[in-house]
Amino acid sequence: MKRRSGWNVMARLVVLVRPMVGYMLLAIAMGLAGHLCASFITILGGYGVLDVLGQGAPITLPMLFACVVVFALMRALLRYGEQACNHFIAFKLLAILRDRVFRALRRLAPAKLEGRDKGNLIAVITSDIELLEVFYAHTLSPLAIAALFTVVMCLFIGSFHGALGLLALAAYAVVGVVIPLAVSRSSGDSGLVFRNQSGELSAFVLDSLRGLSETQQYGQGAKRLAQMNERTDALAQTEARMKRIAGRNNAVTSAAILVFDLAMLLASTALYRAGQVGYAGVLIPTIALFSSFGPVVALAALGSTLQNTFAAGNRVLDILDEQPVTRDIERQAPIGFDGAAARHVRFAYGEETILDDVSVDIPKNAVVGITGRSGSGKSTLLKLLMRFWRVQSGEVTLSGRNIERVNTRDLRCMESFVTQETQLFHDSIRNNLRIAKLDATDAQIEAACRKASVHDFIMTLPRGYDTPVGELGDTLSGGERQRLGLARAFLHDAPFMLLDEPTSNLDSLNEAVILRALQKERKDKTVVLVSHRQSTMRMADTVYCVEHGRMS
């Protein structure tokens, strides 16, 4: 994970506000006016005291009470408007962020997401992005409001005496800038640690739920629960440390406000005794300072919460900044399918070489079988043909053209890929199949299922094609899921079919049914068939054997 400074994260997050700058300016204007109304309600009370004491107040009591009523009503309306704008901006930007994160994951998949903690990704997409609402709704405009409010109040207090204006500036700076920065620095990277621990706990819980039956079967429930409690306790300790920092922040802020209020009273009294200000110069600046810490106190509270927010932003930016292994290719001349090949391909996952000088010819309308031991690189070769990964040396060609110069959209239209594990979504069978062809008719879906020999099974279900498959398809057997994967491939109707162990979860009877369906539907189809079963390889025109990353 890349560690960015808080300022860097803030700058990156601020850039996203550009589409909403009009609403942001409106929120700042209403927030500034609202806080001035709130402060001047108290200040007007000071002028009322001056009028009662006969000290020459610039406003009469009737007018003063009328102004207080107007300011109170305006404060309520302006506060509502400010919060409405801020939250509109926040939730609009959260929607934009989620869209950008999903687009980033789409670019990164599948290579950069293989082996990644799905629970951690879920935490980023949900809780981390949600936490940025604090930044957009309660940080950006309050920063600008506090700065503008400080200028106005310093000028107002300074109108009685310049020294009092400078003292007010020092008070606002200490409470709104110095204390938050000091607290943020003392927090260190606790916010990032907390977000990472939270993501890891989410991943652990998700993993535990998926493996619940195995945990029970082997009597590991107590151990798994102990591990979960250990992670939860570590997370609680980190959060407790952050709460203690927040508590100290509140205590220091309150103490600083009290000190500066007393300093203003003493300074104005000293100036009064020196004859440099009148009675109003003591009462009004002191009351003004007393009533005007609201905007900067909001900034002081951010000192302890922004670490968590910036940590969440850092994790979101990690995904947005991560570079994919392969990028979508566009603006190349379109091509039709006329065979494929691999030429002297070498590929490694990190330091581990999987394929070394592998060459395969895949003629059009042929069935090419690839067999070999588990881990020999058979599935990897299919991923290279799909351009999920890029070769380190050599080349993969499609219709005689290097696959790096084939439009990604064309590639996806020409290829169907059936993996060993069919991914099913928490939806109906019909909608799970329609992923392969969004505009497919019911008749086309049924025809594809008949080809995959799964139609009869579907019709035995209570709701037929509208039957929910459960989370990850857990209401179906492995063989049923695999046949639905084949049905998707038939529905997609691509000329180039890549089948990775399409019969591994089937018994011999169902295997024979599937192979007959493949044999029957192979017309105008080119098929790469990966399997360790000799019975499956019988339908292949050519069989390659992969051993230790080499082809024979």
Side-chain angles (χ1 to χ4, degrees):
M1 176 178 289
K2 183 177 180 182
R3 290 180 180 269
R4 302 172 180 84
S5 68
W7 295 111
N8 182 272
V9 174
M10 179 182 288
R12 292 284 303 278
L13 294 177
V14 167
V15 170
L16 296 174
V17 181
R18 282 184 297 184
M20 314 294 294
V21 66
Y23 287 100
M24 180 61 71
L25 293 175
L26 181 60
I28 292 171
M30 289 192 292
L32 175 62
H35 280 293
L36 288 174
C37 285
S39 293
F40 272 88
I41 288 174
T42 308
I43 292 170
L44 287 173
Y47 281 116
V49 172
L50 291 176
D51 187 66
V52 171
L53 297 177
Q55 295 293 323
I59 185 170
T60 62
L61 279 178
M63 183 64 70
L64 185 148
F65 282 118
C67 288
V68 167
V69 172
V70 171
F71 283 3
L73 292 174
M74 288 180 61
R75 168 59 175 164
L77 294 173
L78 290 168
R79 178 65 173 173
Y80 176 83
E82 177 204 353
Q83 290 299 306
C85 283
N86 278 334
H87 284 86
F88 174 78
I89 293 167
F91 292 116
K92 189 74 173 178
L93 290 174
L94 294 191
I96 293 172
L97 261 179
R98 284 198 173 94
D99 180 68
R100 291 188 61 180
V101 167
F102 276 114
R103 287 175 182 270
L105 292 176
R106 160 67 182 82
R107 292 194 304 271
L108 295 174
K112 281 292 185 75
L113 300 186
E114 282 189 5
R116 199 153 178 172
D117 281 343
K118 300 303 185 288
N120 219 323
L121 286 176
I122 292 172
V124 172
I125 296 168
T126 54
S127 60
D128 284 348
I129 291 181
E130 194 67 32
L131 194 58
L132 295 182
E133 186 265 341
V134 175
F135 178 76
Y136 289 119
H138 306 291
T139 303
L140 274 184
S141 64
L143 278 171
I145 291 169
L148 295 173
F149 183 83
T150 295
V151 171
V152 173
M153 293 306 297
C154 286
L155 291 175
F156 175 74
I157 294 174
S159 66
F160 292 91
H161 194 281
L164 300 181
L166 292 175
L167 180 59
L169 178 61
Y172 298 139
V174 169
V175 173
V177 179
V178 176
I179 292 177
L181 287 179
V183 171
S184 178
R185 183 167 297 180
S186 67
S187 299
D189 60 352
S190 57
L192 185 59
V193 171
F194 179 80
R195 298 313 309 167
N196 288 338
Q197 288 178 331
S198 179
E200 290 168 3
L201 180 60
S202 296
F204 188 84
V205 171
L206 181 61
D207 201 31
S208 299
L209 289 173
R210 287 178 175 174
L212 192 58
S213 59
E214 285 78 5
T215 300
Q216 291 177 325
Q217 176 184 350
Y218 295 106
Q220 296 296 310
K223 182 178 179 181
R224 197 76 182 177
L225 182 60
Q227 291 174 329
M228 191 178 298
N229 287 336
E230 182 180 341
R231 293 169 184 262
T232 304
D233 290 342
L235 183 66
Q237 289 174 7
T238 304
E239 186 174 19
R241 184 163 59 252
M242 295 173 64
K243 295 292 185 183
R244 286 195 295 271
I245 292 171
R248 287 198 295 269
N249 176 35
N250 291 335
V252 171
T253 299
S254 298
I257 290 174
L258 180 59
V259 168
F260 279 108
D261 285 341
L262 290 174
M264 179 62 72
L265 178 60
L266 294 174
S268 58
T269 301
L271 291 172
Y272 176 74
R273 289 178 176 176
Q276 298 186 33
V277 297
Y279 187 74
V282 176
L283 183 62
I284 301 303
T286 303
I287 290 177
L289 189 65
F290 277 19
S291 64
S292 62
F293 277 107
V296 290
V297 165
L299 298 187
L302 294 175
S304 54
T305 60
L306 276 185
Q307 281 295 320
N308 208 5
T309 304
F310 287 157
N314 194 61
R315 282 158 55 87
V316 172
L317 293 175
D318 275 339
I319 292 179
L320 296 180
D321 291 347
E322 190 165 353
Q323 296 301 310
V325 173
T326 59
R327 295 182 180 276
D328 285 354
I329 296 173
E330 300 174 337
R331 301 178 182 176
Q332 298 292 324
I335 61 172
F337 181 74
D338 191 26
R343 299 276 184 255
H344 306 290
V345 166
R346 181 187 176 278
F347 178 80
Y349 293 112
E351 300 297 323
E352 182 184 3
T353 299
I354 304 299
L355 298 173
D356 187 14
D357 195 27
V358 168
S359 295
V360 180
D361 283 312
I362 308 170
K364 186 177 179 181
N365 297 336
V367 176
V368 175
I370 300 176
T371 188
R373 297 178 181 177
S374 296
S376 59
K378 305 185 300 297
S379 299
T380 298
L381 181 59
L382 297 189
K383 293 176 183 178
L384 294 176
L385 289 168
M386 287 291 295
R387 200 175 168 271
F388 287 169
W389 295 87
R390 301 178 67 182
V391 300
Q392 269 85 48
S393 63
E395 66 172 356
V396 175
T397 62
L398 206 68
S399 303
R401 182 188 295 181
N402 191 307
I403 202 170
E404 297 293 333
R405 294 188 290 109
V406 176
N407 291 326
T408 301
R409 183 179 293 275
D410 294 340
L411 191 65
R412 299 292 174 257
C413 289
M414 286 188 285
E415 295 181 335
S416 292
F417 186 26
V418 179
T419 60
Q420 297 180 34
E421 295 293 333
T422 300
Q423 173 67 46
L424 295 178
F425 297 90
H426 201 319
D427 207 335
S428 67
I429 291 175
R430 189 189 312 279
N431 288 339
N432 267 286
L433 292 171
R434 195 165 269 143
I435 289 172
K437 187 178 180 181
L438 295 179
D439 59 349
T441 64
D442 290 346
Q444 289 174 322
I445 292 173
E446 181 179 327
C449 289
R450 288 185 182 277
K451 292 176 183 178
S453 300
V454 73
H455 170 74
D456 292 340
F457 160 72
I458 293 173
M459 297 311 296
T460 64
L461 299 174
R463 296 171 60 184
Y465 281 87
D466 293 318
T467 302
V469 300
E471 187 177 8
L472 300 177
D474 59 4
T475 62
L476 305 176
S477 69
E480 290 158 358
R481 290 196 296 268
Q482 198 162 30
R483 281 183 284 171
L484 288 177
L486 280 170
R488 277 178 177 167
F490 285 127
L491 184 62
H492 187 51
D493 198 25
F496 189 24
M497 297 181 70
L498 306 173
L499 309 180
D500 190 0
E501 300 281 5
T503 60
S504 60
N505 291 319
L506 303 177
D507 55 33
S508 57
L509 181 61
N510 280 310
E511 179 192 18
V513 172
I514 292 298
L515 292 178
R516 279 198 300 270
L518 287 172
Q519 187 70 34
K520 182 181 178 181
E521 300 298 329
R522 63 173 287 183
K523 183 181 178 182
D524 299 327
K525 291 281 190 295
T526 302
V527 181
V528 177
L529 189 58
V530 167
S531 179
H532 64 277
R533 289 186 177 185
Q534 292 301 317
S535 55
T536 303
M537 289 293 103
R538 289 173 189 159
M539 70 170 291
D541 301 319
T542 306
V543 177
Y544 292 90
C545 182
V546 183
E547 289 294 337
H548 306 296
R550 290 185 174 272
M551 192 72 74
S552 61

